[in-house]
Amino acid sequence: MKINHIELLRFQLPLVRPFRTSFGTQNHRDVILVRVETDAAEGWGECVVGVDPFYNEEYTDAAYGVLVRWLIPMVFAHGPLAAEDFAGVVSNVVGNKGAKAAFEMALLDAQLRADGVSLTTYLGGTRTAVPVGVSIGITPTVDDLVAVSQGYVADGYARLKLKIEPGFDVEPVRRVREAVGDSVMLQVDANAAYTEADIDHLAQLDEFNLLLIEQPFEPDDLLTHATMAKRVSTPVCLDESIVSLGATRTALELAACSVVNVKVGRVGGLLASRDIHDLCAAHGVPVWCGGMLETGVGRAANVALASLPNFTLPGDISASARYFDRDITEPWVLQGSSLAVPTTPGLGVNVDEAFVASLGATRGLFRP
Ligand SMILES: [Mg+2]
């Protein structure tokens, strides 16, 4: 693939309601899109890093900077490449996986559009629709949480994930479980807000028949997750800890988790995500697709990824309307508690560039 030029688009997209986790509150997405143009096709990728370095060390200003100063010049200096070459071409850049994932996504989209192959087919997907859930932020009151949860169940979601933090955990989960009943799949996400001293407290969650508890401790503290996994019956899932194939292998060997959350932006791209999927499948460990409040572009990548066979738990993918009044692509619409997997070439979505322009997007153009 010979790249004619690359564009970086940057804009803010308001959220329909503030999203609060143990890290802080988001009112909008600070979006970077990568657009790659070749003679044969264009391709789009979305950078999912946060505006603040709170989820991990990346943040949008830094991701933009690393794309402009290193990743784009490295790709131009290399000359024609396949999407599969990208990780090797930029391997001197340490980390910055959200920025790399966005660039690789755009290259893959362009390559697959030119080849006439859908992303699900390319990755080895086996589903035509993927079951999805909704991630619910921390609310001002437990009554609010119950009302919001009931609203999503009424929308059709069969799986809810509740964000928890110290002081907002056992009682909120109890109230939601009582309100939605046993038929709704329920899981919780602590975003690393707890310490080893909290294990007995968190064990109280065992009575609510949760699918899993996600990332209770610091990302590099695999041993405490392994201790927790021995002492509670609720399956422990890792998110922030799973930064690479090697980290996944270590976590599995230590029995630090029995479920893995895969996020394209956290592990450096769709190809690394597929490798982690394959490793977990070989270990008999189910995976599911996490979410970073993606627009329709990143959501398309997530849906295709979640069509792989070992994505056996519903993903945090959700319909566009859960996050945005208007998406920047065709809206993702819930069908039952699932999203349909696109079968058109590449990501299978089209960016509404006029709408993006109306959001005040800046466009940076880069040529070889
Ligand atoms: Mg998480």
Side-chain angles (χ1 to χ4, degrees), residues 119-204:
L119 182 58
T120 180
T121 298
Y122 171 83
L123 292 173
T126 54
R127 293 187 185 85
T128 56
V130 295
V132 300
V134 63
S135 177
I136 304 175
I138 294 165
T139 49
T141 70
V142 177
D143 286 343
D144 293 337
L145 182 71
V146 169
V148 169
S149 301
Q150 289 173 318
Y152 285 129
V153 171
D155 288 344
Y157 288 104
R159 189 280 259 162
L160 307 179
K161 174 171 117 176
L162 310 179
K163 295 285 189 179
I164 61 171
E165 65 180 4
F168 193 89
D169 45 37
V170 177
E171 276 315 300
V173 174
R174 182 191 310 281
R175 288 279 309 283
V176 171
R177 176 53 92 198
E178 287 171 358
V180 302
D182 289 336
S183 63
V184 172
M185 292 180 273
L186 198 59
Q187 64 191 61
V188 296
D189 183 4
N191 288 112
Y194 293 88
T195 69
E196 187 166 7
D198 298 312
I199 291 178
D200 287 340
H201 176 72
L202 291 170
Q204 295 176 72

Side-chain angles (χ1 to χ4, degrees), residues 6-7 119 236 245 269 310:
I6 294 169
E7 281 186 280
L119 182 58
V236 174
L245 190 65
N310 194 40

Side-chain angles (χ1 to χ4, degrees), residues 55 161 163 189 191 214-215 239-240 261 263 288:
Y55 167 77
K161 174 171 117 176
K163 295 285 189 179
D189 183 4
N191 288 112
E214 185 179 344
Q215 198 72 43
D239 170 357
E240 286 89 335
N261 166 329
K263 285 181 181 167
W288 57 281

